[in-house]
């Protein structure tokens, strides 16, 4: 009574297929697989040191700092 037989699981599988359809189940499985893959990739990338900012990013950051200084002095 505590465990289900293979026939119980087959009936549940058939009901799930009838309710959701094969397209939704396969697309859901693909989405889950890609999410797991991205998670694993993120965990591997976490161990690597962070990349330095490029020259363009540094220039933009300096411009923002200068603008903030100018705004503070204008007050």
């Amino acid at each position: 009574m505590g465990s289900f037989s293979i026939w119980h699981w087959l009936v549940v599988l058939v009901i799930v297929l009838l309710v959701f359809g094969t397209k939704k189940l396969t697309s859901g499985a693909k989405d889950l697989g890609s999410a797991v893959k991205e998670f694993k990739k993120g965990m591997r990338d976490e161990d690597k040191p962070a990349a330095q900012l490029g020259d363009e990013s540094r220039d933009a950051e300096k411009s923002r700092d200068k603008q903030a200084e100018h705004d503070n002095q204008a007050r």
Side-chain angles (χ1 to χ4, degrees):
M1 184 145 183
S3 65
F4 292 105
S5 69
I6 188 71
W7 295 109
H8 290 105
W9 291 115
L10 287 175
V11 170
V12 169
L13 179 64
V14 168
I15 292 172
V16 167
L17 284 173
L18 288 174
V19 170
F20 294 108
T22 56
K23 277 190 177 181
K24 284 189 179 182
L25 290 177
T26 55
S27 67
K30 279 183 187 177
D31 291 343
L32 181 63
S34 64
V36 168
K37 189 184 296 184
E38 288 295 319
F39 177 76
K40 286 181 180 179
K41 182 181 173 186
M43 293 301 290
R44 277 193 307 256
D45 290 345
E46 186 177 290
D47 296 337
K48 296 178 183 175
Q52 292 183 353
L53 294 175
D55 290 335
E56 294 174 4
S57 298
R58 286 187 197 131
D59 293 340
E61 189 175 324
K62 286 179 185 177
S63 297
R64 282 193 303 264
D65 291 343
K66 286 181 183 178
Q67 184 65 37
E69 269 183 40
H70 183 267
D71 292 344
N72 287 338
Q73 290 176 356
R75 291 182 188 179

